Amino acid sequence: MKAVVFALRSFGRELRSGEVLVLLAAVGLAVAALTAVGFLTDRIGKAVARQANEVLAADLRLRSQAPVPDEWRELAADYDLLTADTMSFPSVVFHGDDNALSSIKVVSDLYPLRGAVRVADDLFGEQRAVDGIPGVGEVWADGALLARVGADVGDLLDIGELQLRVSAVLTYRPDQSIGFASLAPTVIMNIADIDSSGLIGEGSRVAYALLVAGDDANVAEFNDAIQDILPDEIRVRSQEESSERAYNAADRAQRFLSLTAIISLLLSAVAVAMSARRFAHRRMDTVALMKSLGATQGFVITVALVQLLLLGILGVMLGSITGYVAEELLARLLADLLAGPLPDTGLKPVILASGSALILMFGFALPAMIQLRNTPPLRVLRHDAMPPAPSRILVVGLSFAAVSALLYRSVGDARMLLILIGGIVVIAGALYLVGRGLVAVIGRARSGVGVAWRYGLANVARRGRDSAVQVVAFGLSITVLLLLTIVRTDLLEGWRQTLDDDAPNHFLINIQPHEVDAVGAMFAERDMEVPTFTPLVRARMTTINDESVKEREYPNRDGEWLANREANLSWSAELSSSNEILEGAWWPADYSGPPLVSIEEESATNTGVAIGDRLNFFVAGREIEAEVASIRKVNWDSFQPNFFLVLSPGALDGMPTTFISSMRIQDDDQQMLIDLMRAHPSISVIDLGAILEQVRGIIEKASLAVQAVFMFTLAAGIAVLFAAVQSTIDERRFESAMLRALGARRRTVFAGVMAEFAALGAAAGILASAGASILAAVVAVELFNLPYRFNPVIWVAGVGAGILVVCISGFFAARGAVNAAPVDVLRGAST
């Protein structure tokens, strides 16, 4: 109890005297950075995920070939979730003597639950978002349909037994599909009109869907609750399955935000460890005096631990408030840029930051506290009497394990944690070895240079182990900042390449063989690039290795669905530029042997299919067997026609075939599409512009998050640099005072200090460049599925940044030591 009272009293005095402000500042800044990153990651992560959910118009979609039972709506209501109903089916729409096949989308109130429908008041007019659905007796019709039947806004369309007025041109709906099943333009009608329309009767093929949305936790609980009672005819889709392109953008953004959170925490650990060393060193004289007056080791360590806990609590409070305020200001700026408010954040970032900070405080500062406990009383008389250094491996190892567990609970990506922590540990070890080697080399090779450089290099050699530790701290900061710079650049560049100016923005579907030449001629007549036409054959898989697909056991439900659904087959002599062979080999261009098939990697995994397996298909009354020759990785982001199954040339000869194509149509050439649809009414045109806009929206939001989070991590890195400089500030103050007392000019002393930092920064920068390049290659390929291209500029930037950043940090941190009056410093050292 006496130790606690003494700790509280002395802690107050030390705060007033500024003795512990360095460690408090380091902890506060580290927690502020971590809290801000946590808040921003949580809120923008939710915003990105919410926008990704727009491709479903909900958080979950339950799809069935039969009406969804009311029990499912009641169950969703029990979890405080909103619901909406949709029905989709093809139907012929008439306008006078003209008619066209259309996809009827019947919707209920509240549709869409996520995102917004956009309409225009005339063809190719300005779009506007609408809140609600068409009124009773009204429809919103796709512009392609209106062009095909010669109708306009205000006209009546005959749909089933009803005449419905076109009240707006439908330009975008969140859940519109760009799959090959979307063979017709869409008409949205009110569900109240469906019973009197006569469109649905016995035997009608209707796709029913129940849309569900609400709080993330409630949605997850509802999804878990229905898994065991889910009928075979109902398929649940979440955002991960809804749009490969939109989800890839959101997933990459989430991974980068998680990456920055992990790195911020690791940088915080380094900052706390460096600051704790100085905190313990500054208290050694006081502890030695206490021991000489009879204080026990237990008393000393209790006082130190209580003060450490107080520092941690105070640092957490100040850091959390600072981080929250900084994030709130930034979130408001981002909300304006994103034209919408960000979701409210939860307490998870605060809990993670507080728990991590306390673990960091005790784990990474405890070795210094143990060393402080062992301070010999002799130090009262001899300031060079140092306590033995404790073993840090066990304590720091346990701290890393505890922090890793917290990060895993927050991030949930063990692979990312393993790559980052393993890579940083290896780089830290290499940096320490380089630092020790630098000390040895400089100790022998500091002659032949100017006085300032000789003094600076002598400081590096004389401090030995401390110089090596500073190289580790500087190097780790530069490594992670370079890593984030490389990954951020690759991430944004990869997104830009995905959605470059030449990305296709239209699909042509249902092109008959006899129309291919005529369609190509229409493009050529207008001096437009003639697109590539890809064959498409509808089929059903019947057996896998002579085992019925209906009776076969599959690794998961998706595999069963893929094997039993109607499949889109194609054939090609050459591998598409958006495909990559992972296993097996592609057939020769002149192949004419038995049918072979190449399967997409995820489909192969879900269905349990491997190289050499035999797949049988039923196509137009004929059975075709094909052997699996290769497994492909497909870049679904390419917006090119891609297939799960591609057969060898000749395998589908004589089968009923249609063709599809993708192309880039400029705004000035939109009239060409209207002419094409009127000349070839059976061809469906799918506008990808809305989908591209959706993905671009996710990318823009994620890009802003990437830039913002990077700035917080940069602040954490700077905190490490300052902590590393501050760890030797007392020595520098005493050395500067001695040199100036002996006649050295302040400018010369300061130049020597800068020379020391330049040497340390250059060494840290060289190895940091190497470490960041290797780690960035692993992270880009393994975590983000992005190609990595080595950039030699990173070495120049790394070394330059090492020298510049360390020297700037050293300038601001050490100038007080150099400028201090020698008489004051020497008087303080002698007392």
Side-chain angles (χ1 to χ4, degrees), residues 641-685:
N642 279 306
F643 297 84
F644 292 109
L645 297 164
V646 178
L647 279 76
S648 58
L652 300 174
D653 285 353
M655 300 298 174
T657 304
T658 60
F659 289 83
I660 63 174
S661 183
S662 64
M663 67 219 58
R664 180 83 186 173
I665 303 294
Q666 303 298 333
D667 292 341
D668 297 340
D669 298 322
Q670 292 289 335
Q671 182 61 41
M672 183 268 182
L673 293 177
I674 297 177
D675 296 340
L676 186 148
M677 287 184 290
R678 287 174 175 169
H680 302 277
S682 64
I683 297 177
S684 294
V685 178

Side-chain angles (χ1 to χ4, degrees), residues 3 101 123-124 128 169 175 242 255 260 441 449 546 559 563 689 763 765 776 827-828:
L101 179 67
L123 283 173
F124 304 113
R128 56 184 172 84
V169 179
D175 54 344
S242 56
R255 281 179 175 267
T260 54
V441 171
V449 293
D546 298 327
R827 281 176 178 172

Side-chain angles (χ1 to χ4, degrees), residues 371-526:
Q371 187 178 22
L372 183 65
R373 182 193 66 175
N374 296 325
T375 302
L378 180 62
R379 186 176 173 84
V380 174
L381 302 176
R382 292 182 53 187
H383 287 287
D384 59 346
M386 296 291 293
S391 173
R392 291 175 168 82
I393 296 178
L394 180 60
V395 176
V396 175
L398 291 175
S399 302
F400 258 122
V403 171
S404 299
L406 281 174
L407 284 172
Y408 177 72
R409 184 171 180 81
S410 172
V411 176
D413 194 332
R415 193 154 159 254
M416 178 185 289
L417 286 174
L418 183 62
I419 290 174
L420 278 181
I421 294 179
I424 288 176
V425 168
V426 171
I427 292 172
L431 283 166
Y432 184 77
L433 294 177
V434 167
R436 298 297 287 183
L438 178 68
V439 169
V441 171
I442 288 178
R444 299 185 180 91
R446 63 175 183 265
S447 59
V449 293
V451 61
W453 274 99
R454 190 160 59 249
Y455 166 59
L457 297 180
N459 284 345
V460 174
R462 183 174 61 256
R463 291 195 175 92
R465 181 174 171 276
D466 287 339
S467 294
V469 171
Q470 285 185 319
V471 169
V472 173
F474 294 148
L476 284 180
S477 299
I478 298 168
T479 296
V480 297
L481 294 178
L482 288 176
L483 171 64
L484 288 183
T485 301
I486 296 171
V487 174
R488 181 194 60 170
T489 302
D490 287 348
L491 190 64
L492 298 180
E493 184 61 29
W495 282 337
R496 281 193 290 267
Q497 290 176 358
T498 295
L499 301 177
D500 60 19
D501 293 337
D502 296 326
N505 61 358
H506 286 82
F507 265 118
L508 298 185
I509 292 179
N510 203 30
I511 306 170
Q512 300 301 314
H514 67 273
E515 294 178 307
V516 170
D517 293 338
V519 172
M522 292 187 69
F523 281 89
E525 289 170 2
R526 291 166 172 77

